């Protein structure tokens, strides 16, 4: 994870419906968790006008499962925006139970205008909120 980006911790509620026939969380639940965590990160850091006018669509998730997750586990997803290129954002999400890494997720997302539903570039002042220790342009690409 990049030292200069603002991470976001998102507690994950595990529902009995998440549990599969083997007694642990079904792999499909991780996708829902990552989406919830990334969108929570966006809503927490982005300005209200950007949250209201821009939406996110997942383009790709690459999940590496490390350990199974169970119903009574206390799980936290730590989300980090790695970079922005045009209308695309690249995230890393680490899902942990205590110190145990349960899954690592690399995902890419497309920002879209809520009105036109067309791809939309993030303004530099929005991107800077996620990377407060870096100068404009060092993490975001046009």
């Amino acid at each position: 994870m990049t030292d200069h980006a603002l991470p976001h911790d998102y507690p994950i509620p595990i529902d009995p419906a998440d549990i599969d026939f083997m007694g642990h969380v079904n792999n499909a639940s991780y996708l829902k968790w990552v989406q919830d965590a990334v969108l929570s990160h966006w809503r927490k850091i982005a300005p209200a006008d950007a949250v209201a006018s821009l939406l996110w669509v997942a383009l790709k998730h690459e999940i590496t499962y490390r350990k199974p997750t169970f119903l009574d586990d206390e799980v936290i997803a730590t989300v980090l925006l790695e970079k922005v290129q045009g209308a695309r954002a690249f995230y890393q999400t680490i899902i942990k139970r205590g110190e145990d890494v349960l899954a690592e997720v690399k995902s890419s997302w497309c920002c879209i205008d809520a009105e036109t539903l067309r791809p939309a570039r993030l303004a530099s002042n929005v991107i800077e909120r996620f990377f407060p220790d870096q100068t404009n342009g060092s993490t975001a690409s046009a």
Side-chain angles (χ1 to χ4, degrees), residues 99-111:
E99 294 301 312
D100 290 335
V101 174
L102 305 174
E104 299 172 56
V105 185
K106 294 277 194 177
S107 57
S108 61
W109 299 74
C110 182
C111 181

Side-chain angles (χ1 to χ4, degrees), residues 24-82:
H24 53 71
V25 171
N26 184 295
N27 290 357
S29 294
Y30 290 83
L31 294 174
K32 177 177 66 85
W33 295 348
V34 169
Q35 178 167 314
D36 292 346
V38 166
L39 295 177
S40 173
H41 182 243
W42 166 251
R43 288 188 296 267
K44 179 181 178 186
I45 298 175
D49 62 329
V51 171
S53 65
L54 300 170
L55 304 173
W56 290 94
V57 175
L59 299 174
K60 180 179 179 180
H61 293 294
E62 180 180 314
I63 303 175
T64 303
Y65 300 98
R66 300 287 181 202
K67 295 183 178 186
T69 306
F70 302 97
L71 182 61
D72 294 327
D73 287 347
E74 291 185 25
V75 178
I76 300 286
T78 301
V79 177
L80 188 69
L81 176 61
E82 294 182 315

Side-chain angles (χ1 to χ4, degrees), residues 83-88 90 121-122 124 127 136-142:
K83 69 179 179 176
V84 175
Q85 287 182 307
R88 292 183 69 186
F90 299 86
R121 291 177 180 262
L122 290 177
S124 60
I127 296 169
N136 188 22
S138 64
T139 304
S141 300

